[in-house]
Amino acid sequence: LSAEIRIGENSKIVSTNPANGAYHRMLLPGTYSVTASASGYISQTHEVTVLDPLASVQNFSLDEAQVISFQGSIRDAEGYPISGASVIIEADPEISLLADVNGIFTIPALYEGDYQVRIASAGLGIFNKLVSFRNGDSYKTFVLLPPLFEDEFENGLEAWTIQSPWAIINQEGNNMLTDSPSGNYSNNANRSARITTPVNLSGISSPPLCFKTRYDLESGYDFVHVEASLNGTTWTNLTSFTGEQDSWAQQSLSLANYSGLNVYIRFRLRSDSNISDDGIYLDDVLISGTSGNITIFGDVSRDQILAEDDAQAILDYSIGLDPIPQVDALPWEPGTIQAAEVSGDENVNSLDAWLVHRFLLDTGFRFPVQSGEAIELQIPELESSVEDNRLRLFFSPQVELKAFNLSFANDPGFQIGEIVWGPNSLNGMRAQNLSGENRTLAYLSRGEQFDYVDIFYTASSSALSAEIIINGELRIYELSLKTSAQDSIGPAFAFSLLQNYPNPFNPSTLIKYSVPESRGATRLQIFNHKGQLVRTLIDETQAAGTYTATFDGLDDRGSKLGSGIYFYRLSLGTQSTTRKMILLK
């Protein structure tokens, strides 16, 4: 292939010999990110370590790129759409467009590949990253965050320390910073404009420095250097400008080497003793980046992009697949889990994954954790049938099913041989984990109606307990493994008491339990560590089903209970079960 070879962010590009695809590049010893790209093919990147004096070999095999259509949306950290944002995709030719009033932009035809994407909107930081566009991943949401530093020079130079004659001028109603406000710069100049207070990059990943510039400098002799410093005394060059740039050009420089530190930035003019020119003009200086202290809900990959990979990662995590190959930020950390929990119920399950999928397609929708409004979904019933050691699970009504997590009881007499998803179910996102004691399935709908999933098994018993979260609501079923000829009893609720949540708790906690057909009064009672009854939450006859009770930390007289260990017991007829919880103030 006639391809281009890039080394990291180095500006030098080498080309292959199209006759045989060969290339070479002289590099100092070290580890490099090497990317091969060719028009009509999906680019590929490998990490290569160069050792002295040996030559390193890295071959590439590029897949042909398909033409895809793509819809992107742009939102802020609260989930609100950003209208009118500018979008630039460095394709060939370059794609430049504006988001509509709903924050949406559409690209009808784009080759699969990795493209530098720049998105900007007034008052917000700039998104400027390499983004993968692949067939089957036709929707992405880009999140713009407030900048860490921003100056459009409309409010003077209060954020800057300058050496005269650096100053602000106004041209055609727009303020800008220049090194020579009154004509050409002088010979033998060495003067700078720097940010007065260092920018704190603690917890910031991939921070870019962005600004617009145009300049007229004696080519090869006079320079404007962009420099960074940790102490305001010792400076490191980020880039330099010389020659002529007539029109405004957007610049973006990586500050990745300064992540986690306080950094100063300055622009320094250095001229020689001969020719002088008009100098440099700067505007819209800003530093942005993703802070580890800011939660972007739904973005478990922590890259300011929500995509279906994030939904799949949440689905996988909900059934215990951790670490997860789709996500770079591994292993899962508290911040990742917080980003995944978008439903507001303090649990990560298939409903959260479905909500991320909905967020991508519905720009009017915000997550419940953002809006404070609970999501209201109908809960279909799980139904089952058995034939020749095949357990078929389906839902009624099918149209109401959005997502589910299914966990089978740890029964050594029940062994799963194969899982077969129905043809409609294959169109949704799926995950399964049958390793060890974890025997779990998860699914979310992408618009189609789930038809069924078949579980082929061997069993020594005629019934199986299953815990299932349907559209975010927990249900417990006793599944019959009898065929219809054996008078199948169908699905039923089991007698079960779940661990309270949260635990420890203050001031209240939720207790979920399930009861089968009525056998008299259901009692849910609270005891202290001495075994003394302090509260009766439930004492009534209840129909078969799953219930949730709230314990508010009060005894039967309405007095506040002290911190400590308490026990809660569920009893129905001759059956009872007890669990422990902690009230912690």
Side-chain angles (χ1 to χ4, degrees), residues 353-367:
W354 180 79
L355 291 173
V356 170
H357 174 72
R358 178 178 173 182
F359 189 87
L360 294 173
L361 274 63
D362 182 357
T363 57
F365 172 73
R366 296 167 65 221
F367 294 128

Side-chain angles (χ1 to χ4, degrees), residues 43 50 52 57 97 103 130 172 203 286 334 425 480 483 543 570 584:
S43 61
V50 178
D52 187 18
V57 176
L97 38 78
L130 192 67
E172 299 178 352
L286 65 84
S425 307
S480 172
T483 65
L570 177 70
L584 186 62

